Amino acid sequence: MSAPPGINPNIPHSARVYDYWLGGKDNFEADRRVAEATMAAVPGIRESARNNRAFLGRAVRHLTRLGVRQFLDLGTGIPSQGNTHEVAQAEAPESRVVYVDNDPIVMTHARALLTSTEEGRTAYLEADVRDPAAVLEHPEVREIIDFSQPVALMMVAILMHISDADDPAGLVKAYADALPTGGYLVLSHLTLDLVPPRTAEDYLAATAHQAMHRTPRTGEQITRYFDGFDLVEPGLVAVSEWHDTPLFPDEPAWMYGGVGRKR
């Protein structure tokens, strides 16, 4: 893979590390070194990433079958198999999806790969998810998403990249306030709750000096993001336990996942 203009292949990026864990090819040597080092220090992290991807697909499929036809996917990452629009439009071809990310390399791949059905709409917006006003008021978002109808807000493995200084709870609330009653929040997040204490210590030591920022949070902290929502059964659980059996063995589990319906 050659680096597009403006991309430094020597600086690892979370989206490309995640792509490597998912078995993708859109990554550089620097990304692979970080991915392999993390895998060596953190047992099961790659399998958990794949289970997280599978959780996204199950959640989208579940909501589509409930009648949701609009998805706002924040921090989409590099496109790979089982994207939100692929799952939704396979169930309901008229589904409309807007992806939001601020990584130029993600944009390059999205423009090439995120094709829509004729009946639906799929768009990619290059924007910073930390600026909800800019995202929600963007003309393309307003053209594709009707906020008077049910919308699924996808925040899958994105908030762990938002530091406490950037107020992740306030960020979720800003987006959630735009949803109508009956809209949904789909969220997954890195946690250390579900791993043995020694494993958690090893993870923190292995990632302390990595350039990529990740903040693991507790189930109690993550549950607060669902304020104003009723959690869909089975609630906030390991992503591998949400509505299905895991795609990959997930021991230990590193990610919580949940879906909430706005009151």
Side-chain angles (χ1 to χ4, degrees):
M1 178 185 173
S2 59
I7 300 296
N8 187 341
N10 299 312
I11 298 177
H13 191 283
S14 58
R16 297 191 298 267
V17 170
Y18 193 65
D19 174 74
Y20 179 78
W21 284 339
L22 293 180
K25 299 179 180 179
D26 298 312
N27 47 75
F28 301 116
E29 180 61 29
D31 306 305
R32 293 189 284 273
R33 284 199 301 269
V34 169
E36 290 287 349
T38 306
M39 288 163 53
V42 183
I45 194 71
R46 177 172 61 181
E47 290 76 16
S48 194
R50 296 181 179 187
N51 276 326
N52 182 65
R53 187 67 174 185
F55 160 75
L56 180 149
R58 293 198 302 275
V60 170
R61 191 173 298 110
H62 178 77
L63 294 183
T64 305
R65 291 173 180 175
L66 290 178
V68 177
R69 296 294 182 266
Q70 303 183 109
F71 298 83
L72 180 59
D73 192 328
L74 303 180
T76 178
I78 292 173
S80 61
Q81 187 176 6
N83 293 295
T84 297
H85 78 283
E86 291 176 330
V87 177
Q89 292 176 355
E91 293 286 331
E94 70 275 18
S95 297
R96 302 189 299 280
V97 180
V98 177
Y99 293 101
V100 182
D101 206 293
N102 67 342
D103 183 359
I105 198 169
V106 171
M107 182 182 68
T108 299
H109 289 281
R111 286 175 174 168
L113 299 174
L114 299 183
T115 57
S116 178
T117 59
E118 292 183 5
E119 302 93 328
R121 289 285 301 276
T122 302
Y124 178 84
L125 174 62
E126 186 177 9
D128 192 333
V129 299
R130 293 172 296 182
D131 188 353
V135 172
L136 292 169
E137 296 302 325
H138 193 279
E140 198 162 19
V141 172
R142 286 292 167 178
E143 177 188 350
I144 295 174
I145 303 293
D146 178 359
F147 286 96
S148 69
Q149 299 298 316
V151 179
L153 175 64
M154 310 293 295
M155 303 188 80
V156 175
I158 179 63
L159 290 176
M160 64 193 199
H161 299 291
I162 306 295
S163 68
D164 290 339
D166 286 324
D167 187 18
L171 192 66
V172 176
K173 185 178 186 305
Y175 283 105
D177 284 348
L179 301 180
T181 299
Y184 289 88
L185 171 62
V186 179
L187 188 151
S188 66
H189 199 297
L190 177 69
T191 186
L192 301 180
D193 286 4
L194 306 175
V195 301
R198 178 59 185 271
T199 303
E201 292 172 7
D202 290 344
Y203 171 83
L204 293 173
T207 59
H209 302 293
Q210 290 184 1
M212 297 179 306
H213 175 80
R214 300 188 198 94
T215 301
R217 294 186 171 96
T218 66
E220 181 180 357
Q221 290 173 307
I222 298 166
T223 298
R224 293 194 198 113
Y225 297 143
F226 287 96
D227 285 351
F229 292 82
D230 293 318
L231 278 166
V232 174
E233 290 294 334
L236 187 70
V237 296
V239 290
S240 58
E241 298 176 3
W242 198 89
H243 272 241
D244 212 341
T245 55
L247 181 64
F248 296 95
D250 195 16
E251 187 64 43
W254 293 94
M255 301 285 290
Y256 274 128
V259 175
R261 186 180 187 274
K262 188 174 178 180
R263 301 188 192 102

